[in-house]
Every structure is written in C-alpha cells, then in structure tokens.
Amino acid sequence: MSAAPRAFIAIVVLCGLVVLTYAAVLHGKSQNPVKFFCYLVIAIAASRLKVNLPGITGTMSVNFLFVLAGVLELSLAETMALGCAAVLVQCISVEKPVPVQVAFNVCSTSLAIASTFFLYRYSLVHTSANPSTMLFLSACIYFITNTFPIAVIISLTERRSLRKIWSECYFWSFPYYLVGAGVVGMMSWIHSFSDWQTSLLTLPVVYLIFRSYRLYLGKLSDEKRHVEEMADLHMRTIEALALAIEAKDQTTHDHLQRVRVYAVEVGKELKVEAQEMEALQAAALLHDIGKLAIPEHIVSKPGRLTPEEFEKMKIHPIVGAEILERVRFPYPVVPIVRAHHEKFDGSGYPMGLRGKQIPIGARILAAVDFLDALASDRQYRRALPMDEVMAQLAKESGKSFDPQVVSVLQRRYLELEKLVHEKTDSAVKNRLSTEAHNKDKDKDGDKNKDHKGDDAATNPAIQPAAGFESQGRRQPTERSFLSSIAAARQEAQTLFELSQDLGASLSLGETLSVFSVKLRHAMSYDAIAIYVKHGDELVPEYVNGDNFRLFASLRIPMGQGLSGWVAQNLKPILNGNPSVEPGYLNDPSKYSTLTSALAVPLEGLHGVVGVVALYHAEKDFFTSDHLRILLAVSSKMAMAIENALKYEQAENSAVTDYLTGLPNARSLFLQLDREMARCKRDGTSLTVMVSDMDGFKQINDRFGHLEGNRVLRQFAHALKETSREYDYVARMGGDEFVVIAPGLTPEASSRKAEQMRELAQQTGREVCNEEILSLSVGKAVYPEDGLDAEKLLSEADKRMYLQKQAQPSRSNRRLYPRLRARLTTEIAIEGVERPVLGILTNLSVGGCYLESGAMLLPGAKLTLKFSVEQTAVTIQSEVVRMDMGIGAAIKFSESTHEVRATIHRALEQLASIEAKTDKKRQNATAGV
C-alpha cells in the first residue's frame, strides 16, 4: 500500500476516534436503556443481513435503517454505539478480518453518524424545516458520508477512478436509503400515537428491503458474471487464435506470454484507461496476425532479409489491422495493431507517425515486442541476456521508442521477468499434470491389451512371417494443439527442403547425406541405412547411426530379410524386426539395441532402385505419420538416386575407356599432372611408360575386330593385375597403353618393360594361337626427361618409336613417331557444303587424331587443310574410329611422294619448335 492510502486511513481513523471520544464523554448517558438495548440487538441482527457489493470486495447490510431510527429517537452516544457495534459485527463476521479495515470501517461509520445526527438535530432546533424533509436529507447525507470514504480508499489502492467506483459500486443503493428513510419515518409516526414497541411491527418491512436488496444484487451479479464470462471467453478465443498463429514457429511459443505480461504491467504503470488497457491486451496477442499474408520462407528466414523481402514484411501491420476491423472490437485494437511498428521519431512504418500521434498502446507494444525479440531464441541467433537487451532498448529511447515506456521497463524489467516465469511455470505444471494423468490411463489400458498381443504375433497375414515380431501401428502420443500445428508446419518445411535439396546435387553420396540430415528434422531414428540395388543385391550406399559398421557390411539378396522383402514386393514395413536382415543378428543369443524398423521401397521409372530403412531402439517406435512422411518423399528420393547413378555412370564413361575399363587419355593427363605435382613436393621421381602393340593390325585383318577387341581387353586386364596398387594404367587410344609408376628405379622399370612384352606375347598366343603380337615400350623419367605431362609423354613416345624401328620386322607397324602438337585445321566433309574447324593432335606420317564439334562417323571422307610455319598441307583422309577422350582417329588416304615430303617437313618443323620450347623451359627452371 502506497503512502496516499495510508495517510487517508490515518486521517479517517483519527477523526473517528475524536468523534467517538466526544460522544462517549459528553453524551454517554441513556434515557431509555431498554429501548436502546432492543434497538441495539435488532441492529446487530440486521447487520447479518448483508449483501456483497458489485465490483469490489465488500458487503452492505440494512443496519442503516436503525442508524436513521437512532438519529430520530436516541441520543448521539446511543446512535453511535448502535451503528458502530453493527458495523463491527458485520466486519468480524468474515473469515480473516484485517484490523486496519475494521478500524477504518468503524471510524468512517462514526463520522457518517455524527454528520447525519448533527445535521438533523441542528436543523430541527434552529430552523423551521419540515421533519420529513430533514429525514430524507439526513438519509442522503448518511449515504454520502458512509460510502464516499470507502470509495476513496479503493480508488487510491487500486488506482481506479473515484467517480467510476462510487457511481458503479455504491450509487445504485441510494434509492434504498431513501426507502429506508421512509420506513424510519413510518416508525416515528407510529411512535407518535403509541408506544415505541408498536413501531417494531415495521421490522418485516426491513426484511423485505433486505430481500429486495438481495434479489436486485443477485441479478446484477449474474449479469456481471455473464459479461465477465463473455469477456473472458472473448479473450481466451483471441488467445487461442494467436497461439495457433504463433505455433507455426516453435521458437516463439512463450512470445505471447511475455509480451502480454509486460504490456499490461507497463500500461498500469502509465495509468492507461480501461478501454485502452483492454485493447492493449488483445493487441498484445494479435499484433502479428498480419504475418499470415507473408510467405513462410520470409517469416522463417534464418538470416537478414533482403530489401525486397523487408518491403513484403512491412505489409503485415496493415493486413493485421484489416483482418481485425472485421471483428469490431468494443475497444480500439485496430489502431494499436496498425501502428505497432511506428517509431517515436517518425521513421517507422506503415504511416510514419511520430511521438504522441502513435497510440499509447502501440508505443507500449513496440518497446515490449523489441525487448522480447532480443530476449528470445531465434533461428538465426541465441537470446541475449536481459542486461544487454535493456542496454539496446535504452539506446533506442527517443528514437524508436517512447522514453516513458523505456523508463518503466528499465525500472521494472526484473520484476516483470519474474512474473512472466511464474505464469509460464504455472502453465507448464498444469499441462504436465494432465499428461501424467493421461499416461496413467494409457498404462491401465496397456495392461488390458497385453493378452491380445500374442495373437497378433502369429497372424499369418503379416509378411514376411519369419522374424517380423509385429507390424502393428503405434498410437501417436498425446500432445497439445500447439505442438500439432508446429509439427505440421515443420513437416511441410522439411518436405519442401527435401524436394529442393534432393535435386540440387548429382553426387550420390551427397544426395543421400542431405536426405538423412533433412529427414531427421521430421522424425527421430537411431540409425538409417539407404540400400541401392546392384544386380540382385541391395548394397548399403549410405549408413549412419547405431551399428553403422554392421549395416555397412551387409549385402542383402532380393527377397530376403526385411529390406529385401520390401524391395521385391514394393510394400513398406512398419515396426519390423531389424535382426532378420541377412548377416545382421540371426543368432538369437546375440543382443541388439535396435528393435524396430521402418522400411520403404524406392521405386523409380524402371522398377525398384533401392530401400530406405530407419531403425530405433524403442519397440514399435514408428507411427503411421512416420510412414506417411517417408512415403511422401520416397518417389523424389528414387528419382534423385536414379539421376545420381546415371551421372556417376556418365562421369565414369568420360574418364574411362569403354572397351577395357581402364582410364582413358583425358583421365591420364589429369592423373599425370597430379602425380607430377606430388613428386615435385616430395622430391621423388616418376616413370612414364608408353607402349604400342606390334602386329595388332594383322590380328584385326586376319581374325576380325571382335578378336582384336578381345586382345585389348585381355592385355589391359593382365597389365592392371601385374602392376602395383598405386601404379596408374591407362589406354591412350587404339593399341597404345601407358603406365605411370611413381618411384620406380631404372632396373625395376626395365623389368616392368620386359614383363609388359611377355604379357602382350602371351595374350597373342591365347587369342590367336600363334606368335603374332609383340610390344614396343618407351620410358621417360620425371624430372630428368621433362617437367610437364606433354613433354614426358612425347619423350616416352619417341623412345618407343626408336625401339619399334630397331625391331627386325616392321610390317604393318607404325614406323614414325607421333608429335603431340595441337594445330587448327579446316575440315571439308564429303557431302557437306560448308567446311568446319577442328583441332589436329598426335600428328604422324600416316594419320592423326581430330577433335571437332562436327559429327565424324567412321568411314567418312575428309579433306584436311593445316599449316606449320611456312608449310601448308592439304590431304585427303578417312575417319577410322572414335576414341573416347581423345577424338576421331584419322588415316591419311594419299600416299604420293609430294604429300609425304610435305608431311615430313611439317613434322620436322614441329619437332624443332618443341625442342626450342623445352630448352627455354629448362633454362627458366635452372634460373629459378
């Protein structure tokens, strides 16, 4: 209680004591003790006939009739004793009377009696006023002096309007005071021609007055209770709607509670009027309802909004106001909602109001909303400590927020925060007690159902029969509507993110990893395994969680185990038994922490692609909601896996020779660059061995190209098998193979070359049953023979060419080396009017390789035009074949002496240019 009500109580009590002392000392004698005692008893009895006053905590009785009767027929001391005794009995009849209240009521009553007594007696003695008029006037004075002090103390303690309290809580009883004056006048009139006992016959009228009091106040109480219930229903409806809106974002469930408590308490501190206070409470709940018009990805964006997104966000106060205008609140909610983003300096939105132009409710709500936003966890940051929040709020005082509102928050934020936590904890306790009661009922229900579980385990409709202990559906756990709304929003967000992310990458591993991470947001699991079909087996391509090593080692045949059955039958299994997976835990003596599984087939355009299986330690953990979510994304997941597998296959084809399975020329150059960079860092050597088959053309001519392909495949396989694990074996194209051997000594490289020759001879004997095939091998060593990939390959090719020339028989073999130059050439294709451009590589006397965007099919006739320095070459050619990664193999058709001489001259010039370039590079390296 503040100082003002304390002072008023002290003044009233002091004045009352003075009046009581005066009446007891100067007027303490009774002229008719029997009459006084009778009136006293009846007044005390009448004080028990009391009614509750509307709008305040207080009561009122009909003993004022006997106070008025005492004013007419008793002395001041007797009237004072009668009235104070009746009030005292009325006060102490409550359960726990407060001494201060009792003293205040008794002293206030004594002042009212004294004022009424002296007014009535003084008027009769010193004026010629009519007694009846004076009686009614005395009743009015007693009403005012009896009710006004109580209304004042209520106004001071509750900070409410004195006029409103007095008019709403007491003025309704004024007619009953006038009726009481009439009853007292009747008693006085009867007493004028008979004894005073006869006047007591009017007591039934007193009871009638009490009953009318009671009926009238009962009706008022019922109407007030109905209005309060409707107002409470109205507010609870608003709160439920606001909670449903806010429940979309799980991080702001306590947002409304804090905003409402802070706003209401600040409003009380600033003495906001009742209508404005009601509007503030509703606006605190509904101020963000306009965000329904904002796209979800903007509202839930974890980072800073772009200018365009912020412009979209700025419409929510206007939309919220338009929505609430249709409700037609009896208090001004709409202006507060419309202006709750206005700033005190006029820089806010949507109307740019400033200072007092902004409604007081909007000014309060703006500051409180800012405080709560900083003090709450968000997706993009953690909550700030309250001290930092208040420091930020103080910086914006006078700019964004009303300084009066900021001052109140700075002074009371600790108290208000404690109040928020108390209300939140109370709500949580109520919810927990309800959940505990529901769980107890669930347990009782489970006991009654236990004997039915055995029948379900033996149901033959459950497939497959062995090992699948249950396929029943787990009932969803009890949860609040807020959680259900939040879960629905989260599920929609997860499905949207999955649909976006699954098509964002063509990497199979990355796709499956992203799927696993996003899926965990929608459902809980202890382990996940995503199996992909390879032939007749399911191979785990991604495994994470408990027992991941065990799941990663599984190879599940189609139709076997849980996942195999799902893949073969294209049907999901809910809460299956993980231990039936082949190779998992077939031994019953072994223990597994995982007891339930959810498996869904991944069906693509051409049949089943794989199976996604989730595992959990809790028995029958997965629900139909989990199955529904997984089925919703399974088709998208299957398409993503199919695309990733196709991309993986295409990527392998781009760097892999389709015939032998070895890396092609493109992959060779990339690997050679990597190996040379590593050797440069480590200071080690690198050997490059280029080989070419001698006699391979005879195999194609005599035995056919299919046998030639067989020779290439068999030799490639043998070469790969006999090389070290870290050696790199590639097919350059045609019948050329390259081996990259890091750290190989000269002696070891010689042995390796001899081994390669033996492998070629052995392959020729196995396929053709005769000695028809041999191998020429050239070697180059980094860094002695070159510092880049082209130089090393060129040097090895030259040495291989020299070895080929040294062989006794060179029939049908390439006699000249190829120079790995890149020359721009004009290509005239037979049957095509306009020539095209291409890149000529690997030039030799007999042919070259050609890279072009034009379609060059085997057998096509071409005319090539190119030049080297001053030598121009025009030659007729034919496309022999297409080699993946290196281009079209071209054979020169003309064999005249002039054409050959021109090509020889061009080759010599290219070799000279290459030698000069190598020398410059070596000089530059030596200088460094």
Side-chain angles (χ1 to χ4, degrees):
M1 188 181 297
S2 60
R6 290 175 184 270
F8 183 76
I9 291 174
I11 293 172
V12 171
V13 171
L14 182 61
C15 294
L17 291 176
V18 171
V19 170
L20 287 173
T21 303
Y22 170 79
V25 173
L26 300 180
H27 303 275
K29 296 181 181 180
S30 176
Q31 298 177 354
N32 190 345
V34 176
K35 179 179 178 181
F36 165 70
F37 180 76
C38 184
Y39 273 50
L40 177 63
V41 171
I42 296 174
I44 292 174
S47 66
R48 304 290 296 177
L49 303 177
K50 56 187 178 180
V51 291
N52 294 322
L53 295 175
I56 60 172
T57 304
T59 59
M60 190 175 194
S61 67
V62 294
N63 56 23
F64 71 90
L65 289 170
F66 299 96
V67 172
L68 293 177
V71 169
L72 268 66
E73 301 184 12
L74 301 177
S75 65
L76 175 61
E78 291 173 328
T79 305
M80 197 74 73
L82 182 147
C84 292
V87 171
L88 183 63
V89 171
Q90 182 178 342
C91 290
I92 64 176
S93 62
V94 298
E95 293 182 0
K96 294 181 180 180
V98 181
V100 175
Q101 292 180 352
V102 174
F104 178 82
N105 290 333
V106 171
C107 292
S108 174
T109 302
S110 66
L111 291 176
I113 293 172
S115 301
T116 306
F117 190 90
F118 284 115
L119 173 68
Y120 183 80
R121 294 297 175 91
Y122 181 85
S123 299
L124 291 179
V125 173
H126 296 87
T127 64
S128 57
N130 187 304
S132 298
T133 302
M134 292 309 302
L135 178 60
F136 280 99
L137 183 59
S138 298
C140 294
I141 294 300
Y142 183 73
F143 167 73
I144 294 173
T145 54
N146 188 36
T147 59
F148 189 76
I150 301 175
V152 170
I153 193 64
I154 293 174
S155 175
L156 292 175
T157 53
E158 297 186 5
R159 298 179 181 179
R160 294 166 58 187
S161 170
L162 173 62
R163 182 186 60 80
K164 184 172 289 188
I165 291 175
W166 191 68
S167 61
E168 292 181 357
C169 300
Y170 291 100
F171 192 73
W172 60 268
S173 63
F174 177 64
Y176 290 94
Y177 278 80
L178 298 181
V179 172
V183 173
V184 171
M186 184 183 298
M187 294 173 61
S188 177
W189 175 73
I190 294 174
H191 185 215
S192 64
F193 57 83
S194 66
D195 54 11
W196 62 270
Q197 291 88 346
T198 306
S199 62
L200 297 180
L201 295 175
T202 58
L203 288 179
V205 179
V206 175
Y207 183 74
L208 289 177
I209 293 174
F210 164 72
R211 290 298 300 173
S212 64
Y213 259 10
R214 202 172 176 91
L215 290 174
Y216 177 71
L217 289 180
K219 185 177 180 181
L220 283 181
S221 178
D222 291 341
E223 291 180 355
K224 182 183 178 184
R225 184 170 58 252
H226 177 70
V227 171
E228 289 176 349
E229 288 177 353
M230 292 304 295
D232 185 56
L233 177 62
H234 190 201
M235 187 57 66
R236 281 188 280 117
T237 303
I238 293 173
E239 183 176 3
L241 175 62
L243 286 173
I245 296 170
E246 290 289 339
K248 294 187 300 178
D249 187 358
Q250 288 183 315
T251 62
T252 59
H253 278 181
D254 295 332
H255 164 71
L256 294 176
Q257 184 76 334
R258 176 185 272 122
V259 171
R260 181 167 60 173
V261 170
Y262 270 75
V264 170
E265 294 301 320
V266 172
K268 290 179 181 178
E269 185 81 12
L270 297 178
K271 298 181 180 179
V272 175
E273 294 184 359
Q275 285 285 93
E276 192 76 20
M277 184 66 76
E278 294 288 341
L280 181 59
Q281 288 196 59
L285 296 172
L286 295 173
H287 63 280
D288 281 337
I289 192 173
K291 287 184 179 179
L292 291 172
I294 309 300
E296 189 67 36
H297 69 91
I298 296 179
V299 175
S300 302
K301 185 175 180 179
R304 188 179 183 88
L305 298 181
T306 64
E308 295 76 16
E309 291 171 338
F310 184 62
E311 286 299 318
K312 184 66 174 178
M313 179 66 78
K314 285 165 66 174
I315 72 170
H316 85 269
I318 298 176
V319 174
E322 291 175 350
I323 293 173
L324 298 179
E325 279 177 348
R326 297 178 176 270
V327 180
R328 297 180 182 178
F329 286 95
Y331 30 80
V333 178
V334 174
I336 297 177
V337 172
R338 183 182 288 113
H340 80 278
H341 276 291
E342 301 288 354
K343 294 186 178 180
F344 201 71
D345 61 0
S347 61
Y349 63 88
M351 296 176 291
L353 302 179
R354 67 169 61 243
K356 302 299 181 181
Q357 295 176 340
I358 307 171
I360 181 61
R363 280 179 271 152
I364 294 172
L365 189 57
V368 170
D369 201 24
F370 176 82
L371 181 148
D372 173 75
L374 294 182
S376 303
D377 288 331
R378 290 292 187 267
Q379 293 175 331
Y380 46 90
R381 59 154 177 79
R382 301 293 297 171
L384 297 179
M386 287 301 296
D387 292 340
E388 293 184 24
V389 173
M390 298 311 301
Q392 294 281 350
L393 190 66
K395 288 181 181 179
E396 296 296 323
S397 178
K399 300 176 184 177
S400 299
F401 310 119
D402 188 341
Q404 285 185 313
V405 177
V406 175
S407 176
V408 174
L409 290 172
Q410 287 179 316
R411 189 171 65 254
R412 297 190 58 195
Y413 77 93
L414 292 176
E415 173 191 345
L416 297 180
E417 194 66 17
K418 183 178 180 181
L419 183 61
V420 170
H421 288 306
E422 288 177 354
K423 291 193 175 183
T424 303
D425 293 343
S426 176
V428 170
K429 288 180 181 178
N430 292 336
R431 185 169 69 249
L432 290 178
S433 63
T434 304
E435 291 175 356
H437 176 67
N438 291 334
K439 286 181 179 179
D440 290 341
K441 293 196 295 183
D442 291 343
K443 288 181 180 179
D444 294 339
D446 290 341
K447 291 178 181 178
N448 296 330
K449 295 177 182 179
D450 282 346
H451 67 280
K452 299 180 181 180
D454 298 335
D455 297 337
T458 57
N459 189 344
I462 300 176
Q463 297 291 338
F468 291 78
E469 295 177 356
S470 68
Q471 204 175 2
R473 299 182 180 269
R474 179 174 180 254
Q475 294 297 324
T477 56
E478 195 85 16
R479 58 183 179 184
S480 68
F481 75 96
L482 296 177
S483 300
S484 299
I485 295 174
R489 180 257 174 191
Q490 185 180 18
E491 179 182 325
Q493 185 71 14
T494 300
L495 293 178
F496 173 76
E497 291 178 356
L498 276 172
S499 65
Q500 294 293 315
D501 295 337
L502 285 179
S505 174
L506 290 174
S507 168
L508 182 59
E510 185 177 344
T511 297
L512 300 182
S513 178
V514 168
F515 175 78
S516 171
V517 172
K518 297 295 184 182
L519 187 64
R520 190 176 286 277
H521 296 163
M523 63 181 70
S524 175
Y525 55 82
D526 292 331
I528 181 173
I530 301 177
Y531 304 96
V532 175
K533 182 184 177 185
H534 291 281
D536 292 332
E537 285 187 336
L538 294 177
V539 178
E541 290 288 346
Y542 179 84
V543 178
N544 193 15
D546 297 351
N547 298 340
F548 73 95
R549 287 190 177 86
L550 185 58
F551 284 114
S553 65
L554 298 181
R555 296 296 183 270
I556 302 175
M558 293 289 290
Q560 296 186 22
L562 184 144
S563 299
W565 187 90
V566 169
Q568 187 177 56
N569 293 275
L570 298 178
K571 294 181 180 179
I573 283 183
L574 179 63
N575 291 322
N577 186 358
S579 64
V580 302
E581 297 285 24
Y584 181 63
L585 286 180
N586 291 328
D587 186 355
S589 63
K590 294 183 179 179
Y591 175 75
S592 172
T593 58
L594 303 176
T595 60
S596 58
L598 171 61
V600 171
L602 301 175
E603 191 173 0
L605 297 176
H606 305 290
V608 65
V609 175
V611 173
V612 55
L614 307 180
Y615 305 96
H616 203 279
E618 184 179 338
K619 186 176 178 60
D620 295 339
F621 173 79
F622 297 105
T623 67
S624 56
D625 283 340
H626 296 145
L627 176 60
R628 176 177 51 78
I629 294 172
L630 207 54
L631 288 173
V633 299
S634 62
S635 59
K636 183 75 175 179
M637 184 65 181
M639 290 182 63
I641 292 177
E642 275 190 334
N643 292 336
L645 290 174
K646 290 178 181 177
Y647 175 77
E648 194 175 81
Q649 183 178 2
E651 191 175 38
N652 290 336
S653 299
V655 296
T656 305
D657 178 58
Y658 72 97
L659 181 62
T660 62
L662 294 178
N664 59 16
R666 176 186 175 189
S667 179
L668 170 66
F669 275 93
L670 295 175
Q671 180 66 19
L672 187 54
D673 287 335
R674 288 193 291 265
E675 287 291 341
M676 291 174 65
R678 184 185 61 79
C679 291
K680 185 176 181 180
R681 290 194 307 269
D682 299 341
T684 58
S685 63
L686 179 71
T687 301
V688 177
M689 307 177 71
V690 177
S691 63
D692 182 85
M693 289 184 174
D694 302 319
F696 181 73
K697 185 176 183 302
Q698 294 183 28
I699 295 177
N700 282 334
D701 294 341
R702 292 173 55 193
F703 299 96
H705 288 282
L706 292 179
E707 290 300 306
N709 291 342
R710 181 184 169 195
V711 168
L712 294 176
R713 283 195 298 267
Q714 191 165 326
F715 176 74
H717 178 73
L719 184 58
K720 179 69 175 176
E721 289 295 320
T722 56
S723 298
R724 298 175 300 180
E725 184 178 355
Y726 49 87
D727 288 342
Y728 195 81
V729 180
R731 182 189 178 196
M732 274 289 291
D735 56 356
E736 293 185 39
F737 294 86
V738 177
V739 177
I740 302 175
L744 198 65
T745 64
E747 296 80 7
S749 63
S750 298
R751 290 195 299 270
K752 180 65 177 177
E754 187 60 34
Q755 183 188 49
M756 293 169 63
R757 296 187 189 96
E758 292 176 358
L759 290 175
Q761 293 172 0
Q762 181 181 352
T763 303
R765 287 194 298 269
E766 291 179 356
V767 175
C768 304
N769 293 320
E770 59 179 271
E771 296 288 342
I772 193 174
L773 194 64
S774 62
L775 192 71
S776 297
V777 181
K779 296 173 288 183
V781 180
Y782 172 86
E784 289 84 354
D785 297 324
L787 299 176
D788 58 41
E790 289 190 4
K791 179 59 179 175
L792 282 177
L793 288 171
S794 177
E795 189 64 27
D797 191 68
K798 288 179 181 178
R799 293 174 181 176
M800 182 268 296
Y801 161 71
L802 293 175
Q803 186 182 111
K804 188 182 290 288
Q805 282 185 326
Q807 292 185 9
S809 176
R810 301 197 302 270
S811 177
N812 297 319
R813 299 176 189 178
R814 180 160 60 88
L815 302 180
Y816 303 99
R818 288 177 178 166
L819 291 179
R820 304 185 184 280
R822 296 178 65 83
L823 302 174
T824 302
T825 182
E826 181 182 295
I827 308 170
I829 306 174
E830 188 179 51
V832 179
E833 294 182 2
R834 298 181 60 182
V836 297
L837 295 179
I839 301 297
L840 184 148
T841 62
N842 296 333
L843 178 63
S844 70
V845 174
C848 63
Y849 279 92
L850 196 61
E851 297 177 5
S852 173
M855 183 68 71
L856 301 178
L857 299 176
K861 305 296 182 180
L862 310 176
T863 300
L864 302 182
K865 295 182 180 181
F866 60 92
S867 61
V868 180
E869 291 188 342
Q870 302 301 321
T871 303
V873 180
T874 302
I875 189 167
Q876 301 298 319
S877 310
E878 179 182 354
V879 180
V880 179
R881 65 181 179 276
M882 293 294 297
D883 287 340
M884 295 293 293
I886 195 169
I890 305 298
K891 176 184 176 182
F892 295 151
S893 303
E894 294 182 351
S895 59
T896 64
H897 178 72
E898 292 181 358
V899 173
R900 288 181 177 276
T902 304
I903 294 177
H904 275 292
R905 193 162 53 250
L907 289 172
E908 290 173 357
Q909 292 172 352
L910 287 173
S912 176
I913 295 172
E914 185 176 359
K916 292 178 182 179
T917 304
D918 292 341
K919 187 174 182 180
K920 290 180 181 180
R921 186 182 296 114
Q922 290 176 357
N923 293 336
T925 305
V928 175

